[in-house]
Amino acid sequence: MMKEAVTVSNVTKHFQRKTAVNNISFSIEKGEIAAILGPNGAGKTTVVSMILGLLKPSEGEIKLFNRVPDDQQVREKIGVMLQEVSVMPGLKVDEILELFRSYYPNPLSMKELVSLTALTKEDLKTRAEKLSGGQKRRLSFALALAGNPELLILDEPTVGMDTSSRHRFWQTIHGLSDQGKTIIFSTHYLQEADDAAQRILFFTEGQLVADGSPMQIRSRIQKQSVSFTLHSSESLERLSCHPEVERVIHEHERTIIQTSNTDKVLALIFQENIHARDIRIEQATLDEAFRQLADGNREAM
Amino acid sequence: MNVLQKQSIAEMKRVLRNKYFVLWSLIMPIAFYYFFTNVVNTNVPDQRAWEAHYLMSMTVFSVMGSSIMTLGIRMVQERSQGWAAFIRLTPLPDHIYLSAQMIGQSVIHVLSITVIFLFGAIINDIALSPFEWMMSGLWILFGALPFLALGTLIGLMRKVETAAGISNVLYMLLALGGGMWMPFEVMPDMMQSIGQWLPSYHFGSGAWELVRGGSPTWKNILILIAYMMLFMLLSKYIRRKQEAV
């Protein structure tokens, strides 16, 4: 029995002269919840489109269940939510769902679809073109689930959802994951990836720059720092030669020392007898850390 | 019920629920027909022949409109709003999706033809032989093919607004130039000489001949086929250019 639901091998995508995705490789195992995370313009949608077979990679190869993405058997096993899809006008929600169920060999029952997506009786009798933003998202989610898919691929699924729908959405996703379904979603919110995923694939500028559990990613990108003011232009040379001190920054009269071990840096300050005042320990917020990682990658390139 | 059947029925529902379709393809032609055969005195020598002639004009006008506009604009909508890409991700095969659209569209045409014919038969008591009704109906159904091809050509445009604008203008020019609104014979010479080369004239002409007891000429048939080929080739060529990007 094969373990991988998705394998991406050495994939590059050029649009005219722009390289949107640059030589990425990864695989997603069955049963995983993986987040494709990155700032806007990082190539997330391009990666998702290639996994779905909507775009062809310029180089490299993508397989789903060991088949090409546009294989009929693959189509029967996947459920998809795309960004900004307007469902075909002229049909009521229940008519569209019935129609979609007929495309798949083992669809979910209408009852299950309704309970999973919290579509109301009124929603079901409303024509697609008259749905509100929130109702449209629920319908898109229901369409993704119609065929009882093994693999769910969701492109920025929570855009436009309010907090409570968002919360319910992720609860449902975890329920589906407990049933053994594989889930891949893209997002530009680090918090969301952190809360919902077991694994984060972090993209910037078309490159896969980090791949690991939220914990690993967090420790990698979330820098702590010790900051203080100094009496005079006291030298910090002795301090900066310790390996725990990763970087020294001067900003607004304050000295900021980036480190992953704030306790040790504090001890060092006293040990080296540095006349520091107003000492603070700070933790970069997730979003700052996220920006740092994205910026850091830009500098490195 | 199999998938093709379900899909075709869904397509028909969508067309019938579209207000513009009902307005342009059913209400307008019937209103025009009533107006020019019962309200306005057209001073035609043979009123009975005119009533049959104009019933064909209006049916052709209706079917031509839904072929160009309904199909074309919907194709643009489905592509620009992401629906076309989304449907490709389901197991529904492309050919079933396309066939269902064509079948749905044809059933709708049968319906339009039947409704407008019935209306003419009732309000003006038009008495054609069953064979004449049948043949003119079939002629209009199949004569619509070049216009469906034109619809798919319009369907390749990127914006709904452009597609709607251009198809409206084309539709009106074709209807006017082809003699759908006024008899071809009373139009100025220059318009007649242009009109003779329009597919709409030959579409109408076949039906006019049929209700006059004749039959469509080879020229009617050949010109319609030529236009169909031209539109199909053009849309194939444009589609290939678009995909290359």
Side-chain angles (χ1 to χ4, degrees):
Chain A
M1 197 54 189
M2 178 196 52
K3 272 170 40 193
E4 284 84 24
V6 178
T7 45
V8 174
S9 338
N10 305 102
V11 165
T12 296
K13 179 71 186 175
H14 306 290
F15 290 115
Q16 273 112 22
R17 278 196 207 135
K18 196 177 167 282
T19 302
V21 169
N22 194 357
N23 194 22
I24 55 167
S25 296
F26 62 88
S27 64
I28 310 261
E29 283 181 24
K30 286 182 183 167
E32 269 189 308
I33 307 184
I36 291 179
L37 175 70
N40 290 324
K44 300 187 297 288
T45 295
T46 309
V47 171
V48 171
S49 302
M50 286 193 290
I51 291 177
L52 294 173
L54 289 174
L55 287 175
K56 294 260 172 289
S58 309
E59 287 158 45
E61 186 186 62
I62 295 180
K63 288 278 174 79
L64 275 71
F65 304 104
N66 217 14
R67 290 166 184 275
V68 289
D70 46 15
D71 188 287
Q72 180 77 9
Q73 288 195 37
V74 171
R75 298 290 189 230
E76 287 175 358
K77 287 184 188 173
I78 63 172
V80 180
M81 247 175 113
L82 293 177
Q83 288 183 68
E84 291 166 22
V85 169
S86 294
V87 167
M88 51 179 168
L91 291 181
K92 293 176 189 156
V93 170
D94 57 353
E95 292 171 332
I96 300 170
L97 289 176
E98 281 296 353
L99 188 62
F100 260 65
R101 290 181 61 247
S102 75
Y103 299 165
Y104 296 90
N106 304 303
L108 282 181
S109 71
M110 271 302 250
K111 224 175 125 191
E112 285 171 297
L113 280 180
V114 168
S115 81
L116 282 170
T117 54
L119 280 162
T120 63
K121 274 211 179 88
E122 291 95 287
D123 291 346
L124 289 175
K125 291 288 165 206
T126 308
R127 285 210 208 154
E129 68 270 29
K130 295 194 176 120
L131 296 174
S132 71
Q135 288 172 315
K136 271 187 191 156
R137 297 310 281 174
R138 268 178 272 169
L139 172 57
S140 303
F141 189 36
L143 291 178
L145 294 174
N148 194 17
E150 284 179 37
L151 169 63
L152 269 171
I153 301 176
L154 315 163
D155 195 9
E156 309 249 359
T158 56
V159 169
M161 282 189 196
D162 59 34
T163 324
S164 69
S165 345
R166 207 173 274 229
H167 180 72
R168 197 172 45 221
F169 175 80
W170 289 120
Q171 260 185 339
T172 312
I173 291 291
H174 280 118
L176 292 166
S177 164
D178 292 341
Q179 293 169 26
K181 299 192 188 303
T182 312
I183 291 138
I184 301 174
F185 68 95
S186 70
T187 178
H188 58 268
Y189 298 116
L190 179 59
Q191 192 63 57
E192 192 164 83
D194 192 35
D195 291 344
Q198 297 156 351
R199 178 171 164 202
I200 295 177
L201 298 148
F202 185 86
F203 285 84
T204 54
E205 315 233 321
Q207 289 186 312
L208 178 57
V209 291
D211 177 356
S213 69
M215 192 82 126
Q216 289 167 325
I217 300 279
R218 200 204 277 261
S219 69
R220 185 168 155 196
I221 67 180
Q222 197 161 43
K223 291 280 176 278
Q224 293 173 306
S225 63
V226 178
S227 73
F228 47 83
T229 43
L230 286 174
H231 272 299
S232 54
S233 52
E234 198 170 339
S235 167
L236 291 172
E237 253 172 62
R238 274 172 303 158
L239 196 60
S240 47
C241 61
H242 290 278
E244 288 80 9
V245 177
E246 288 170 13
R247 206 167 157 204
V248 181
I249 305 163
H250 298 280
E251 206 177 83
H252 309 302
E253 315 276 300
R254 288 182 73 80
T255 304
I256 302 161
I257 293 175
Q258 282 187 349
T259 177
S260 43
N261 188 347
T262 47
D263 298 344
K264 182 77 184 177
V265 170
L266 278 181
L268 285 172
I269 289 171
F270 296 112
Q271 182 192 316
E272 300 290 351
N273 202 21
I274 288 163
H275 300 286
R277 283 186 304 132
D278 189 18
I279 301 176
R280 281 183 231 155
I281 293 178
E282 284 160 54
Q283 199 163 42
T285 64
L286 280 173
D287 280 331
E288 275 169 45
F290 180 59
R291 254 195 310 279
Q292 259 175 37
L293 185 60
D295 289 345
N297 188 63
R298 200 164 299 143
E299 278 159 26
M301 273 169 56
Chain B
M1 238 192 326
N2 70 29
V3 181
L4 180 62
Q5 229 174 327
K6 275 193 174 176
Q7 190 70 29
S8 307
I9 291 173
E11 297 296 339
M12 283 177 238
K13 276 190 191 161
R14 292 178 61 195
V15 177
L16 286 177
R17 285 174 182 171
N18 181 346
K19 283 193 214 95
Y20 295 98
F21 165 79
V22 176
L23 179 70
W24 280 100
S25 301
L26 296 175
I27 297 177
M28 294 284 277
I30 290 174
F32 274 137
Y33 183 66
Y34 181 74
F35 192 72
F36 284 106
T37 56
N38 284 286
V39 181
V40 181
N41 186 359
T42 37
N43 284 324
V44 284
D46 184 348
Q47 179 69 22
R48 298 295 293 159
W50 164 246
E51 283 167 359
H53 175 96
Y54 202 58
L55 184 64
M56 293 303 126
S57 306
M58 283 301 107
T59 315
V60 163
F61 177 67
S62 157
V63 169
M64 191 168 82
S66 72
S67 302
I68 304 176
M69 314 256 295
T70 314
L71 183 69
I73 294 174
R74 210 171 68 189
M75 282 172 69
V76 181
Q77 246 172 9
E78 288 184 357
R79 211 184 38 248
S80 64
Q81 298 180 343
W83 183 254
F86 188 66
I87 204 92
R88 271 172 57 200
L89 300 176
T90 68
L92 182 73
D94 285 352
H95 67 269
I96 300 260
Y97 186 59
L98 274 175
S99 318
Q101 286 199 328
M102 293 300 154
I103 293 172
Q105 191 79 35
S106 303
V107 175
I108 293 295
H109 287 170
V110 171
L111 183 88
S112 303
I113 293 168
T114 313
V115 169
I116 299 173
F117 277 10
L118 264 176
F119 198 81
I122 293 165
I123 62 165
N124 280 342
D125 191 23
I126 289 180
L128 298 176
S129 68
F131 179 76
E132 283 171 326
W133 281 123
M134 209 45 199
M135 286 311 288
S136 46
L138 284 174
W139 171 260
I140 294 173
L141 187 62
F142 287 100
L145 289 174
F147 301 94
L148 284 170
L150 178 59
T152 60
L153 192 60
I154 285 166
L156 294 173
M157 291 176 184
R158 301 211 182 267
K159 279 187 165 172
V160 175
E161 294 78 16
T162 338
I166 291 181
S167 57
N168 255 309
V169 171
L170 270 177
Y171 176 35
M172 291 305 146
L173 287 178
L174 283 172
L176 185 67
M180 248 101 270
W181 286 345
M182 47 178 143
F184 203 66
E185 294 74 25
V186 306
M187 295 201 300
D189 284 349
M190 204 191 66
M191 274 182 74
Q192 282 196 37
S193 51
I194 297 173
Q196 276 185 12
W197 294 100
L198 293 178
S200 49
Y201 167 72
H202 293 276
F203 189 17
S205 173
W208 297 324
E209 287 300 328
L210 280 165
V211 296
R212 220 174 278 158
S215 58
T217 62
W218 277 108
K219 196 177 170 195
N220 295 150
I221 296 171
L222 287 177
I223 289 192
L224 286 175
I225 291 177
Y227 269 106
M228 185 171 77
M229 306 279 272
L230 174 73
F231 295 144
M232 282 168 66
L233 281 176
L234 261 177
S235 81
K236 198 172 175 185
Y237 172 76
I238 295 174
R239 192 168 305 144
R240 192 169 302 162
K241 273 199 109 173
Q242 285 178 343
E243 274 168 8
V245 175

